[in-house]
Amino acid sequence: MYRQHQQQLVEILSGDIPRRIIAAVTPGGGKSQLPVLCVQHLIPRFASRICWVVPRRSLQHQAEEAFYNPLNIHLLSRIRTSTNDSDPCRGLAGFVTTYNALAMSNSVVVDEFRKHRYILVLDESQHIADSTSFFNGVAPLVDMAELTLFMSGTLERNKGRKIAFMMYTPSLISKDDSLHLEDTALTRVISYTRTDALREKAIIPIRFTYLDAKAEFKIEAKTVKLETLKSGTKRMRKAALFTALSTDYALHLLDECVSDWRAWKHEHPRSKLLVIAPGQRHARKFVAHLSKIGLCANLAITDEGPRCDRAIRNFKRITGSTENDILVTVGVGYEGLDVRSITHIACLTRIRSKPWIEQMLARATRYDPDAGAWESQEARCFVPDDLEMADILDVIKKEQAPFVSSRKNASRSIDTCVPLEQGTLFPGLECVGSAAAGRRAEPSRAIKSAPVASAPAILTPSDLEDAARAGIENHVRHYASRKRIQIRDVNRILFQRFGKRANMRLTELQAAMKWVQGNLK
């Protein structure tokens, strides 16, 4: 059964196909199903292939997995990960690439679009601003595509920058123009709000626990002490938050979240914890702190490239132990991290942008069908109790109010901790120390429910390709070692046998694997 926005897309695809479709779908609402529906309803009658563009490499594998959703059990079409490879589809229905890859070089993909009729999907399209490298990478593809699907969980940009390819209406009361989201002759708009998703039980409500802080810092050699994150001018509050998240308070909030997660996990074994750090140095410190209290955490930071991708894949696995149940990250946790078993978030970011905070919180709001009834599930987020954060969360709490308990908030105080000396973190501000100062939490809405059996792990086309490629390379290496010959000589034999050694399709890789196992003994 389709959700509201998915059914709306099916209806659009069943009629006169527009040039553009804009899908504004609340995070966790199921927008990854939309490209699959495009393939199901438009290939081959309207287009021949699909190109799905995502913000990061870690999301490419996730896009592949979307074609294995239980809704698509009868769908034979699949896509594969390709980053500026020749023959990117390799016999499949399409491929998924990244904005960065297109910004570096889009010539291969442009050639593909010239040869075939393509559907173009721009995921989290708010990342594209006019006159940027991302814009230059995708603009030719938008011009050539039979249909462009713009998808976003938060269709707005920071600092008032306009999103490329979107229409804006001049504002009479503000210097910022407003996004124009209405149907036109060439464009259809799909909207799916947080309220829509809660009503259809696509996402679960959030239970917030707020932790206040007292902070001491120096600005221009003047010592400032604040007893709460809500006091002082905006500049002082920002300095206090920076100090708190850089000193002892951060570890106290993390410990509070970990304690609640451990108790929750006792009743909900699938539960996972996501820790959002203010920076990479802090993320490493949090991993070390968790190790000291006997917990193993995966570290996913963009500076570590492939190791970041492996950490995310490990985090997605359900193992029955806590080895892969904690992920510490900085920017990776804001969008596209689709791990339905996340129940807890320790929010230690300094960012106070509404789109970023909404994306971060959405990592824990996806309904997990393998964890029992919807009524038994809730996201639990531990956040700093500052005014800017409260303003963002008040909107979310209002939207979910009809779906949660109406009991009054509980509150209690907690012990303070010993201040920790810190060095200078940016010019003009010296962090001295901080301590947790007060705690208030909302009542839980969840009821106990028995979990259901987990679905088996998904092997995507890229997974199968990687496995076959690794199997061939291992066999060739061992054969060359036994025969005391060069690996390149064995690869030459394979090239003569199959006409290629690189850029092989899955069927070719599987045939090559079978051949080397039977002939290179």
Side-chain angles (χ1 to χ4, degrees):
M1 181 178 179
Y2 292 134
R3 295 172 185 169
Q4 175 184 307
H5 62 296
Q6 296 164 354
Q7 181 60 40
Q8 189 176 352
L9 178 65
V10 170
E11 293 171 0
I12 293 173
L13 300 182
S14 300
D16 294 331
I17 312 299
R19 283 299 306 273
R20 311 188 325 160
I21 299 175
I22 301 172
V25 180
T26 191
K31 64 181 173 62
S32 61
Q33 179 68 10
L34 302 184
V36 181
L37 292 173
C38 287
V39 170
Q40 185 176 355
H41 290 270
L42 297 183
I43 294 179
R45 73 174 180 89
F46 178 78
S48 56
R49 299 184 177 189
I50 188 169
C51 170
W52 188 343
V53 190
V54 296
R56 289 185 302 277
R57 288 187 311 170
S58 60
L59 303 183
Q60 289 178 276
H61 191 265
Q62 194 164 293
E64 287 187 77
E65 290 180 334
F67 284 77
Y68 293 85
N69 185 298
L71 288 172
N72 312 317
I73 190 170
H74 300 298
L75 183 66
L76 299 179
S77 300
R78 300 286 185 259
I79 65 173
R80 65 181 294 275
T81 290
S82 173
T83 305
N84 295 332
D85 302 331
S86 60
D87 187 19
C89 296
R90 308 266 170 101
L92 301 180
F95 66 98
V96 54
T97 186
T98 66
Y99 291 115
N100 276 323
L102 294 176
M104 293 174 60
S105 174
N106 64 0
S107 57
V108 171
V109 181
V110 168
D111 287 343
E112 268 291 301
F113 273 59
R114 289 190 180 122
K115 295 175 185 176
H116 306 279
R117 295 173 297 126
Y118 263 91
I119 300 165
L120 175 64
V121 179
L122 300 179
D123 205 347
E124 301 299 351
S125 54
Q126 74 274 7
H127 286 280
I128 314 169
D130 288 327
S131 304
T132 61
S133 59
F134 282 9
F135 174 82
N136 295 334
V138 303
L141 309 182
V142 173
D143 290 338
M144 291 187 288
E146 301 294 323
L147 165 67
T148 301
L149 172 61
F150 299 86
M151 305 196 305
S152 177
T154 50
L155 202 57
E156 55 184 294
R157 289 185 63 86
N158 279 330
K159 301 178 182 178
R161 298 182 66 189
K162 293 183 179 179
I163 304 171
F165 310 110
M166 297 290 115
M167 297 294 294
Y168 284 82
T169 302
S171 175
L172 300 177
I173 59 175
S174 168
K175 64 178 181 179
D176 295 328
D177 297 339
S178 59
L179 194 61
H180 183 79
L181 292 178
E182 292 184 9
D183 291 348
T184 67
L186 299 177
T187 304
R188 297 292 299 275
V189 177
I190 297 172
S191 177
Y192 192 64
T193 66
R194 190 193 321 277
T195 302
D196 294 330
L198 284 165
R199 184 175 58 252
E200 293 190 336
K201 297 185 177 181
I203 63 175
I204 57 179
I206 310 171
R207 177 184 185 267
F208 296 106
T209 297
Y210 301 83
L211 202 65
D212 206 346
K214 56 176 68 177
E216 180 178 349
F217 50 91
K218 292 180 180 179
I219 293 183
E220 299 172 355
K222 180 183 178 181
T223 299
V224 180
K225 294 182 180 181
L226 296 182
E227 296 298 315
T228 172
L229 293 173
K230 299 185 181 69
S231 61
T233 64
K234 184 175 182 179
R235 182 170 180 248
M236 292 296 102
R237 295 197 305 270
K238 186 175 181 180
L241 179 65
F242 192 104
T243 299
L245 295 177
S246 301
T247 54
D248 261 10
Y249 164 84
L251 297 180
H252 204 136
L253 188 147
L254 178 57
D255 286 343
E256 285 278 313
C257 187
V258 167
S259 177
D260 190 82
W261 172 68
R262 279 175 150 169
W264 181 267
K265 188 171 178 61
H266 183 72
E267 299 291 340
H268 304 78
R270 290 173 55 83
S271 174
K272 291 180 180 285
L273 166 63
L274 178 64
V275 181
I276 308 294
Q280 294 192 5
R281 179 174 62 85
H282 304 83
R284 291 187 173 94
K285 183 175 76 171
F286 296 159
V287 170
H289 175 75
L290 291 168
S291 178
K292 288 180 181 178
I293 61 176
L295 293 172
C296 178
N298 288 288
L299 177 65
I301 53 178
T302 53
D303 277 4
E304 299 199 353
R307 290 181 63 184
C308 175
D309 296 339
R310 287 197 298 272
I312 292 173
R313 289 200 183 191
N314 288 337
F315 183 59
K316 289 183 175 183
R317 294 167 55 200
I318 303 295
T319 61
S321 69
T322 60
E323 183 178 354
N324 292 305
D325 286 347
I326 304 176
L327 184 72
V328 180
T329 184
V330 182
V332 175
Y334 284 100
E335 61 188 18
L337 182 64
D338 188 1
V339 182
R340 295 178 181 274
S341 50
I342 295 174
T343 60
H344 285 64
I345 296 179
C347 172
L348 292 160
T349 179
R350 290 189 290 263
I351 295 174
R352 291 298 180 267
S353 158
K354 179 174 175 288
W356 280 61
I357 294 299
E358 287 182 340
Q359 285 280 9
M360 176 203 65
L361 295 174
R363 299 315 103 203
T365 61
R366 285 158 167 75
Y367 167 59
D368 184 359
D370 295 328
W374 183 86
E375 290 77 12
S376 71
Q377 300 182 37
E378 67 181 9
R380 295 191 165 203
C381 300
F382 286 69
V383 300
D385 199 0
D386 59 277
L387 292 176
E388 287 70 25
M389 177 65 82
D391 287 344
I392 297 171
L393 301 189
D394 284 348
V395 177
I396 296 174
K397 288 160 64 177
K398 183 178 180 181
E399 291 174 337
Q400 70 179 27
F403 307 94
V404 299
S405 171
S406 60
R407 290 178 292 172
K408 294 182 179 179
N409 289 356
S411 65
R412 64 178 176 88
S413 61
I414 57 176
D415 296 332
T416 59
C417 51
V418 178
L420 175 68
E421 297 296 326
Q422 291 286 328
T424 301
L425 296 177
F426 62 75
L429 174 65
E430 179 183 348
C431 299
V432 177
S434 65
R439 181 185 192 273
R440 60 189 181 94
E442 300 171 322
S444 174
R445 59 167 283 280
I447 60 172
K448 187 174 180 180
S449 175
V452 297
S454 301
I458 295 171
L459 290 177
T460 68
S462 292
D463 291 331
L464 297 173
E465 287 179 15
D466 290 343
R469 196 175 293 112
I472 293 170
E473 291 172 356
N474 288 335
H475 195 95
V476 166
R477 189 182 304 111
H478 292 153
Y479 177 80
S481 177
R482 289 197 309 273
K483 298 296 183 180
R484 299 181 183 277
I485 59 177
Q486 297 292 322
I487 292 176
R488 64 172 177 267
D489 295 332
V490 184
N491 281 329
R492 189 178 299 115
I493 295 172
L494 283 175
F495 182 84
Q496 293 171 349
R497 176 69 177 78
F498 294 97
K500 63 171 69 172
R501 183 65 179 91
N503 302 323
M504 299 179 82
R505 297 186 176 190
L506 177 59
T507 52
E508 294 170 331
L509 287 168
Q510 291 170 335
M513 184 66 202
K514 183 177 181 180
W515 188 86
V516 298
Q517 288 174 337
N519 295 275
L520 303 182
K521 299 181 179 179

